[in-house]
């Protein structure tokens, strides 16, 4: 991205943020500034979808630092410099939506979703109450209800929450499971649990699952990593063995995390067999579907146990 493609008119180039709305609005400065930024974004979208473009203009960090001016200035830069910096930022960005980009996890750039991000950033709101974001709050309700409908008809009147990512979703699931088993924990704290809580996840699961044990006071020794088979799927017999082992020690197994689409191999743990074990021993079953969730919920592949499991959390 050549910064010379994004020149502001001579009247506006030297101006600063204090010459934009809401401070001032003279000779359509704000409009011209925003238009140049949009040009940069659209050019990046086009380059991302162009097979002849490089996926990445790679430089080692010490060379990259020479190409950029990252020092934090005492005085604000002028508008032209801000535009140039935006173009430079995208010039060296990995084009994760490029047709030849094959790394795991990232997928193509969805233009409609991107517009959604622009829309919410422009609205500059939060999701506290209906008063501050009437349309977004209603939208949220509709989306959540639909998600519960997909999981199963007995969930329609339930409750759910949108999460900002997979790690937080795993933490929410952990907290929900502990609350279900020990509803007084919220008020009384740790004293309400008479024993050592233990959780289980496969040795292929995302590290955020284990970190729940650390941040919630279990200790990582009490997050048991269940061995997986050669295809990276949790071995149910190993799960049961470990549950029984900990029960024999007087511990309290309470939570199992299945992964539907493991981070590295994309393996799906056998939910049915694991659900049977959870039901047998009264454990909460969570499915971390951070990147395989679409497949798990799609009509074609919808998992038969999704609406049958009593306590179930899905990201
Ligand atoms: C299976 C799985 N769970 C959880 C996460 C964490 O997601 P996030 O980075 O959104 O917190 C990832 C991220 O790669 C993942 O692959």
């Amino acid at each position: 991205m050549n910064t010379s493609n994004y020149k502001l008119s001579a009247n506006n180039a030297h101006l600063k943020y204090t010459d934009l709305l809401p401070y001032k609005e003279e000779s359509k400065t704000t409009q011209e500034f925003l238009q140049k930024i949009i040009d940069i974004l659209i050019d990046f979208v086009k380059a991302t979808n162009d097979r002849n473009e490089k996926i990445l203009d790679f430089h080692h960090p010490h060379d990259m630092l020479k190409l950029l001016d990252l020092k934090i200035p005492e005085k604000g830069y002028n508008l032209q410099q801000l535009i140039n910096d935006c173009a430079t930022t995208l010039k060296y960005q990995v084009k994760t939506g490029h047709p030849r980009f094959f790394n795991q996890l990232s997928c193509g750039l969805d233009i409609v979703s991107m517009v959604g991000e622009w829309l919410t950033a422009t609205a500059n709101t939060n999701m506290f109450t209906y008063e501050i974001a009437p349309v977004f709050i209603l939208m949220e309700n509709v989306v959540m209800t639909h998600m519960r409908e997909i999981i199963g008809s007995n969930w329609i009147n339930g409750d759910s929450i949108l999460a900002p990512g997979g790690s937080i979703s795993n933490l929410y699931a952990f907290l929900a499971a502990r609350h279900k088993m020990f509803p007084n924990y919220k008020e009384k704290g740790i004293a309400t649990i008479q024993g050592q809580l233990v959780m289980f996840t496969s040795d292929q699961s995302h590290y955020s699952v284990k970190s729940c044990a650390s941040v919630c006071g279990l200790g990582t020794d009490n997050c048991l990593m269940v061995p997986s088979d050669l295809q990276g799927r949790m071995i149910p017999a190993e799960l049961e063995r470990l549950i029984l082992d900990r029960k024999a020690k007087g511990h309290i197994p309470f939570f199992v995390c299945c992964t539907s689409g493991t981070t590295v191999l994309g393996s799906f743990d056998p939910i049915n067999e694991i659900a049977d074990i959870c039901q047998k021993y009264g454990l909460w079953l969570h499915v971390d579907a951070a990147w395989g969730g679409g497949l798990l919920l799609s009509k074609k592949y919808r998992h038969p146990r999704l609406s049958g499991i009593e306590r179930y959390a899905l990201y």
Side-chain angles (χ1 to χ4, degrees):
M1 301 184 100
N2 189 341
T3 51
S4 60
N5 293 341
Y6 308 109
K7 288 260 177 268
L8 287 171
S9 57
N11 286 346
N12 288 333
H14 66 284
L15 298 179
K16 297 215 169 154
Y17 76 97
T18 42
D19 297 299
L20 296 176
L21 285 171
Y23 308 97
K24 289 182 203 154
E25 174 58 339
E26 281 161 17
S27 55
K28 299 200 170 163
T29 311
T30 302
Q31 188 171 334
E32 192 190 18
F33 176 70
L34 286 178
Q35 191 57 57
K36 291 292 170 201
I37 297 289
I38 289 170
D39 291 347
I40 292 172
L41 301 181
I42 291 175
D43 286 350
F44 181 74
V45 171
K46 285 187 186 150
T48 291
N49 287 285
D50 182 349
R51 277 171 201 276
N52 298 318
E53 285 279 342
K54 277 178 155 184
I55 293 173
L56 168 66
D57 182 358
F58 179 79
H59 300 272
H60 287 286
H62 54 275
D63 294 327
M64 184 70 97
L65 279 171
K66 290 179 199 146
L67 296 168
L68 307 170
D69 174 12
L70 293 182
K71 69 177 181 302
I72 298 172
E74 285 297 321
K75 291 190 178 157
Y77 286 138
N78 67 33
L79 298 180
Q80 187 61 62
Q81 187 61 48
L82 295 181
I83 287 174
N84 294 352
D85 288 348
C86 289
T88 306
T89 302
L90 289 183
K91 175 175 163 54
Y92 297 115
Q93 170 56 28
V94 178
K95 298 182 188 69
T96 57
H98 193 282
R100 297 191 205 280
F101 179 85
F102 294 125
N103 200 352
Q104 82 274 40
L105 298 179
S106 298
C107 54
L109 176 66
D110 181 320
I111 301 291
V112 174
S113 301
M114 181 191 76
V115 170
E117 295 252 9
W118 289 2
L119 189 81
T120 49
T122 309
N124 190 28
T125 189
N126 58 56
M127 294 295 282
F128 296 160
T129 57
Y130 181 82
E131 284 76 5
I132 195 75
V135 181
F136 290 120
I137 290 282
L138 293 179
M139 261 183 204
E140 184 184 33
N141 272 330
V142 171
V143 170
M144 305 298 265
T145 307
H146 186 57
M147 287 296 289
R148 294 197 301 274
E149 272 166 12
I150 292 174
I151 294 174
S153 53
N154 50 341
W155 289 90
I156 293 172
N157 296 321
D159 204 354
S160 43
I161 186 170
L162 284 172
S167 308
I168 292 286
S169 302
N170 288 332
L171 184 62
Y172 286 167
F174 174 102
L175 296 173
R178 189 178 61 185
H179 179 74
K180 180 79 185 176
M181 196 176 259
F182 301 100
N184 291 334
Y185 188 93
K186 188 173 161 195
E187 287 82 21
K188 309 275 179 231
I190 192 85
T192 199
I193 304 178
Q194 306 293 321
Q196 177 62 59
L197 286 186
V198 190
M199 60 190 282
F200 304 83
T201 190
S202 95
D203 57 9
Q204 299 292 313
S205 64
H206 191 257
Y207 56 80
S208 58
V209 181
K210 194 171 187 174
S211 82
C212 295
S214 153
V215 299
C216 295
L218 256 65
T220 48
D221 288 353
N222 296 304
C223 175
L224 293 167
M225 311 308 280
V226 183
S228 51
D229 64 17
L230 283 177
Q231 276 147 345
R233 298 168 303 193
M234 186 194 289
I235 303 171
E238 285 294 302
L239 170 66
E240 188 161 21
R241 182 181 65 74
L242 290 169
I243 292 173
L244 289 171
D245 183 54
R246 285 303 185 116
K247 274 174 116 34
K249 292 189 169 102
H251 294 173
I252 311 170
F254 81 112
F255 178 83
V256 175
C257 175
C258 267
T259 313
S260 281
T262 58
T263 313
V264 177
L265 293 176
S267 308
F268 283 68
D269 289 339
I271 298 181
N272 264 339
E273 288 146 276
I274 293 170
D276 286 342
I277 295 170
C278 290
Q279 247 160 14
K280 188 167 164 190
Y281 298 103
L283 275 69
W284 178 290
L285 173 62
H286 166 61
V287 181
D288 174 358
W291 80 270
L295 191 66
L296 192 73
L297 291 179
S298 69
K299 281 212 166 65
K300 190 168 171 199
Y301 295 102
R302 182 158 327 150
H303 200 280
R305 289 299 293 267
L306 280 189
S307 40
I309 299 168
E310 191 202 342
R311 294 187 290 280
Y312 177 84
L314 173 80
Y315 167 63

